[in-house]
Amino acid sequence: MSTTMDKASAKAREVAIEDFNKAKALAQSAAKSGAYLYPIKGIFYFLSHRSLWKPLLSKLAPTLSLSVVVVVVMFLVAYLPQLAVLVFVNGPLAAFTTILLTLSESSTLINLLSRTFLLQDALVDTFDGVLVARRQTGVLSEGRQLKSGNFNDPMEKLGKLIKSPFEKFTPKAFIRYIMYLPLNFIPVVGTVIFVALQGRARGNSVHTRYFQLKKWSNSQKEAWLKENTAPYTAFGTVATLLELIPFASIFFTFTNTVGAALWAADIEGNNTAMTEMTTPKSRDAGKKAE
């Protein structure tokens, strides 16, 4: 009996050490890439480049109105019932975790509605405008016409879209969100895990426009995202935390788009640690050479 218990204990320690080493490797990869800094860089870059404000200002009133309505309705409808449950699980932390949960739910609904019906074109214009400002017009020309002339305003160089913009919020993403929602009933740790999982899903979508401009196939995109799981999860987690602030979520949605475009520009310019890795295209070329 004791031998069986010892073997089980040893196996548990082995699994724990293996998982810890994997988590450590992911954390080191995320830190090395610096991807978690791009949402912050996006804030400062956006604030210092007034020309990028145009898409946001054009959508500010309707999106703020939507945010107010969603947040008020969610706190009237969902806050007290969720607090009644969480008070038995989280004790004195229930009020805080319920607020965080309700804000997260509100943010998801705001993003679902605004990205689908209000912001899609404006976010594409913002992403493309940053690529122009960072002189990455070569990759941008694959998906957009560019006006001639050396304009000081990068937004003025944007012409007609050649390719459809970002993917819309998918039912699968919403279903996944609902599935992970019960994690918030686990005190503190559950909420952290929930945000991290949301961050991973958010990170996988931040370069949808970039992949489209690169003309990567689904298999190429999946290979790139798999190879760079940690950087994209780090970016997505920071972006998710910023977008949890409902009344400021529209602002951070745009600054996160700016951060994603700055990151894409750095990848194109070989100015990031991620470019030390092979790209899907170079791997495909290597296979053909063999």
Side-chain angles (χ1 to χ4, degrees), residues 208-221:
T208 299
R209 174 64 170 169
Y210 177 55
F211 297 152
Q212 180 189 58
L213 295 173
K214 295 288 285 183
K215 297 182 178 180
W216 283 357
S217 65
N218 287 334
S219 60
Q220 288 176 313
K221 288 184 289 186

Side-chain angles (χ1 to χ4, degrees), residues 126-280:
T126 302
F127 190 96
D128 292 356
V130 174
L131 292 182
V132 172
R134 292 295 300 273
R135 303 185 184 281
Q136 295 296 339
T137 54
V139 67
L140 181 58
S141 63
E142 296 293 332
R144 187 163 205 151
Q145 294 177 357
L146 296 173
K147 299 176 183 177
S148 60
N150 186 21
F151 303 137
N152 292 324
D153 184 349
M155 303 302 294
E156 292 296 328
K157 288 186 70 68
L158 298 180
K160 183 180 178 181
L161 283 169
I162 299 173
K163 295 181 179 178
S164 300
F166 293 147
E167 295 175 348
K168 294 184 178 181
F169 194 96
T170 62
K172 184 186 293 185
F174 187 72
I175 293 171
R176 186 179 291 113
Y177 171 85
I178 297 299
M179 288 174 57
Y180 293 149
L181 201 57
L183 284 170
N184 289 279
F185 290 95
I186 304 174
V188 184
V189 175
T191 301
V192 171
I193 295 173
F194 174 78
V195 170
L197 290 172
Q198 287 295 106
R200 180 169 184 174
R202 179 76 173 87
N204 285 343
S205 68
V206 298
H207 274 166
T208 299
R209 174 64 170 169
Y210 177 55
F211 297 152
Q212 180 189 58
L213 295 173
K214 295 288 285 183
K215 297 182 178 180
W216 283 357
S217 65
N218 287 334
S219 60
Q220 288 176 313
K221 288 184 289 186
E222 290 171 3
W224 174 260
L225 290 171
K226 182 178 180 180
E227 187 173 1
N228 297 290
T229 297
Y232 280 99
T233 300
F235 182 103
T237 300
V238 177
T240 297
L241 288 171
L242 291 172
E243 291 175 9
L244 277 175
I245 309 171
F247 296 111
S249 63
I250 179 176
F251 172 76
F252 290 121
T253 297
F254 277 86
T255 61
N256 287 334
T257 300
V258 172
L262 291 173
W263 190 11
D266 282 346
I267 294 174
E268 282 296 293
N270 295 320
N271 191 28
T272 170
M274 286 177 66
T275 52
E276 296 173 5
M277 306 175 189
T278 56
T279 66

Side-chain angles (χ1 to χ4, degrees), residues 15-29:
V15 171
I17 292 173
E18 182 180 345
D19 288 346
F20 174 79
N21 288 335
K22 287 181 179 179
K24 182 179 178 181
L26 288 173
Q28 289 174 340
S29 177

Side-chain angles (χ1 to χ4, degrees), residues 54-77:
K54 295 177 183 178
L56 168 61
L57 294 177
S58 68
K59 302 294 184 180
L60 190 59
T63 309
L64 282 179
S65 299
L66 173 66
S67 299
V68 171
V69 171
V70 170
V71 172
V72 170
V73 170
M74 287 299 297
F75 271 91
L76 288 175
V77 174

